[in-house]
Amino acid sequence: MSTSLNNKLIIFDTTLRDGEQSPGASMTQEEKVRIAKQLEKLGVNIIEAGFAAASPGDFEAINAVAKTIKKSTVCSLGRAVENDIRRAGDAIKPAKHQRIHTFIATSKIHMENKLRMSPKEVLERAVQAVNWAKEYTDDVEFSAEDAVRSEVDFLVEVFDAVIQAGAKTINVPDTVGYSIPHSWGERIGYLIKNVPNSDQVIWSTHCHNDLGMAVANSLSAVINGARQVECTINGLGERAGNASLEEIVMAVKTRKDIFNLESSINTEFIVPTSRLVSTITGYPVQPNKAIVGANAFAHESGIHQDGVLKHRETYEIMKAQDVGWGANKISLGKLSGRNAFKSRLADLGIEISDETMLNAAFERFKDLADKKSEIFDEDIHALVSEEYVDVTVDNFKLISLSAYTESDKKPFSKIIMSVEGKNQESSAEGGGQVDATFKAIESVVNSDAELLLYSVNNITTGTDAQGEVTVRLSRGGRVVNGQGADTDIVVASAKAYINALNKLYSKFERAHPQV
Ligand code: KIV
Ligand code: ZN
């Protein structure tokens, strides 16, 4: 039977690679490993852990994921360039199941203006890239970047050649989010019909969301024979993002009558995974986002509430529990000891082997438990992220903060922060306490950075919940996100701002795969 027409849908998650290409969403090695473990628990088939040639840090992070993950396949991206592919092959070496994903652009606009290569050269390089990758693993995926704007006959030629060279998965990307569901489906169907030996490979699709149709286009590709979908948690990704994993998976599951396909996703881990990715990247989930938004299962109108109470299915096509709502367990409280804390960390897939760090994280947990009676799993993830942030980049640290508001007076903030180990004090007035605090920090650092985004989200419910703040700063073309969490949002804001400054001042430089 044709490999592309069986009833399994392969889920290829690229949160750690394309998702990481969202402005400021870069992740540390520890964060990538933590997300990868959660993706494995979620049941994704392939984890694209990064682009190994981007930087030594990216290589190490992929390598760490490869050492940790046992069930899912670990993949690295590499351009059709020898060094990229060798770096990818070396990075994934420790993984039990390994894949190299290589790509080259096939559209006229990319070949002429970006690559400055003729179609013949592109075709030869594509084959060469697959040959290099095959030296490391049999599991080679080839993508024709900007397939949406490529001549379909050229695509047929290139795919024929790379299949002959041994590629096992053929990915057809809508790199710029340009396609419309019916024409995308037609294109996939045409390729499967016209590429020789198309039944020997898995057909895959990778859609961007520039016109808001990434999920619809991916599903149309599936209807027309694609059996792998590339997607990300919360639809994170370059520009408007990628197709969202949770929407694809739940569409296929809920409309089994149409798709008649099975994925290996344990759907009850969808919401916890979404929360984890949001906490780590600082990208909040909009409340009305399908499946994982706070309102996805909330019924506001009286008629709807009445209907749901009488018979849930009057207004609900999925069960909230099936996608993990309600799974945010109360983990621990004020009386929980170090062992309980350590064992909950282990349940959440978090390993802190360094005793000093573990003690510091436990101290933070105790401080939090003094302010908040119930500690949820999300609180623990936020707390651990902060612990790692502080030890990896610590140019600047918040030592203390006092902020005042009095009617008819200008809000005021006084901070003490440590700059490379030396305490410095500063104060400022502002439009509000947060504004005053940022001004006080800036009067010490003078970063000259532009504030692109400031957002506050509550991690759990209730007025004692921790506020999770994201600050996005830009300076000299570099964009970084900083995160901070605290039961007091002014403190959370100060932590987020300082976290962003630490990232801005770190020496972290990386290449972009599509440049
Ligand atoms: O969008 C794209 O074309 C990509 C490729 C590298 C698959 O991300
Ligand atoms: Zn992409």
Side-chain angles (χ1 to χ4, degrees):
M1 184 173 150
S2 145
T3 43
S4 58
L5 290 180
N6 62 34
N7 74 340
K8 296 264 178 288
L9 183 63
I10 298 169
I11 302 296
F12 176 114
D13 181 279
T14 182
T15 308
L16 300 180
R17 197 278 297 170
D18 216 322
E20 203 190 20
Q21 288 171 216
S22 313
S26 63
M27 302 165 215
T28 63
Q29 173 174 321
E30 183 279 330
E31 288 168 339
K32 279 201 170 187
V33 170
R34 198 146 33 113
I35 292 179
K37 283 185 185 170
Q38 182 67 26
L39 291 172
E40 184 172 52
K41 206 158 144 188
L42 180 64
V44 312
N45 304 96
I46 295 121
I47 299 172
E48 187 165 55
F51 166 44
S55 70
D58 280 53
F59 179 94
E60 292 304 332
I62 298 167
N63 197 248
V65 170
K67 284 180 185 148
T68 311
I69 297 302
K70 300 285 172 260
K71 286 195 226 131
S72 312
T73 296
V74 178
C75 170
S76 170
L77 183 72
R79 293 166 297 192
V81 170
E82 183 169 0
N83 178 59
D84 275 31
I85 291 170
R86 303 222 176 276
R87 291 294 280 165
D90 290 340
I92 59 167
K93 209 168 263 167
K96 188 151 182 234
H97 310 285
Q98 316 162 359
R99 173 176 294 190
I100 295 178
H101 176 191
T102 184
F103 74 100
I104 191 161
T106 48
S107 64
K108 193 161 176 278
I109 185 169
H110 276 234
M111 291 190 291
E112 280 177 7
N113 300 290
K114 184 180 89 170
L115 299 174
R116 312 236 155 107
M117 286 167 84
S118 69
K120 184 168 172 282
E121 286 168 325
V122 165
L123 189 139
E124 282 167 7
R125 182 68 77 77
V127 170
Q128 178 67 74
V130 172
N131 285 331
W132 284 320
K134 296 278 291 182
E135 290 178 27
Y136 295 84
T137 170
D138 245 13
D139 189 348
V140 175
E141 169 170 335
F142 174 80
S143 285
E145 190 192 8
D146 202 21
V148 66
R149 293 183 295 173
S150 302
E151 299 279 342
V152 77
D153 292 341
F154 184 51
L155 283 179
V156 171
E157 220 183 309
V158 172
F159 289 152
D160 176 19
V162 293
I163 292 172
Q164 286 188 49
K168 294 284 189 287
T169 300
I170 299 296
N171 183 39
V172 192
D174 178 1
T175 305
V176 289
Y178 182 67
S179 76
I180 302 291
H182 83 272
S183 62
W184 192 240
E186 260 171 36
R187 175 156 287 224
I188 302 294
Y190 180 91
L191 290 168
I192 294 178
K193 196 158 167 237
N194 289 284
V195 171
N197 298 313
S198 72
D199 60 343
Q200 301 304 307
V201 295
I202 297 288
W203 287 84
S204 166
T205 192
H206 172 115
C207 297
H208 279 269
N209 205 29
D210 300 64
L211 292 173
M213 285 185 276
V215 168
N217 288 331
S218 305
L219 293 174
S220 178
V222 169
I223 288 173
N224 285 279
R227 287 296 174 267
Q228 174 178 288
V229 174
E230 301 200 352
C231 44
T232 56
I233 302 295
N234 301 336
L236 211 63
E238 186 84 36
R239 305 182 309 280
N242 288 66
S244 111
L245 179 147
E246 55 279 7
E247 293 176 24
I248 303 265
V249 166
M250 290 316 290
V252 169
K253 183 174 167 144
T254 309
R255 298 310 308 269
K256 195 156 195 281
D257 56 327
I258 296 199
F259 294 99
N260 193 25
L261 290 171
E262 301 284 346
S263 82
S264 56
I265 298 298
N266 304 312
T267 59
E268 70 278 14
F269 292 118
I270 285 180
V271 169
T273 310
S274 157
R275 293 278 182 88
L276 177 64
V277 169
S278 170
T279 300
I280 286 180
T281 59
Y283 270 72
V285 174
Q286 77 196 54
N288 57 330
K289 163 89 175 60
I291 322 287
V292 293
N295 296 347
F297 292 87
H299 299 278
E300 184 66 20
S301 104
I303 298 175
H304 286 209
Q305 287 173 356
D306 181 53
V308 170
L309 287 174
K310 286 181 176 141
H311 187 73
R312 188 188 59 79
E313 284 163 26
T314 49
Y315 287 101
E316 277 186 4
I317 56 165
M318 298 167 273
K319 277 203 211 131
Q321 299 90 308
D322 288 354
V323 295
W325 281 105
N328 56 334
K329 285 200 230 87
I330 299 172
S331 287
L332 301 164
K334 208 178 155 111
L335 300 176
S336 310
R338 195 172 174 280
N339 278 346
F341 177 66
K342 202 174 162 188
S343 100
R344 191 66 205 146
L345 288 180
D347 290 348
L348 294 174
I350 302 168
E351 265 166 52
I352 306 186
S353 42
D354 181 312
E355 279 297 300
T356 323
M357 272 174 82
L358 181 64
N359 290 341
F362 182 61
E363 281 310 309
R364 276 173 192 261
F365 158 73
K366 282 296 202 189
D367 285 348
L368 183 61
D370 273 340
K371 297 182 201 154
K372 194 172 182 284
S373 50
E374 297 166 333
I375 309 282
F376 294 84
D377 291 347
E378 287 89 335
D379 290 316
I380 295 187
H381 276 298
L383 185 141
V384 170
S385 288
E386 287 209 350
E387 193 49 46
Y388 276 100
V389 160
D390 281 357
V391 291
T392 47
V393 272
D394 61 352
N395 256 346
F396 310 114
K397 249 185 193 156
L398 180 69
I399 305 293
S400 73
L401 160 68
S402 42
Y404 306 97
T405 307
E406 212 179 309
S407 20
D408 303 329
K409 290 218 171 111
K410 275 212 144 199
F412 172 83
S413 176
K414 191 171 115 193
I415 55 137
I416 301 178
M417 61 187 282
S418 131
V419 180
E420 286 169 352
K422 283 206 187 100
N423 282 7
Q424 294 197 30
E425 196 176 311
S426 152
S427 57
E429 290 180 343
Q433 290 184 5
V434 171
D435 186 43
T437 302
F438 287 3
K439 284 185 174 137
I441 295 171
E442 272 303 332
S443 73
V444 172
V445 179
N446 293 310
S447 76
D448 213 17
E450 189 189 346
L451 179 67
L452 297 183
L453 175 118
Y454 169 76
S455 87
V456 189
N457 237 9
N458 50 339
I459 297 183
T460 55
T461 51
T463 48
D464 71 345
Q466 291 201 85
E468 186 177 46
V469 174
T470 302
V471 164
R472 188 172 304 153
L473 296 180
S474 149
R475 192 182 62 167
R478 179 133 176 237
V479 179
V480 294
N481 280 350
Q483 286 91 42
D486 199 278
T487 48
D488 181 323
I489 60 163
V490 183
V491 176
S493 304
K495 287 179 178 175
Y497 198 90
I498 289 175
N499 177 218
L501 287 173
N502 276 322
K503 288 186 181 171
L504 210 54
Y505 281 77
S506 77
K507 293 194 184 61
F508 182 65
E509 284 302 341
R510 60 204 317 226
H512 188 292
Q514 280 146 323
V515 176

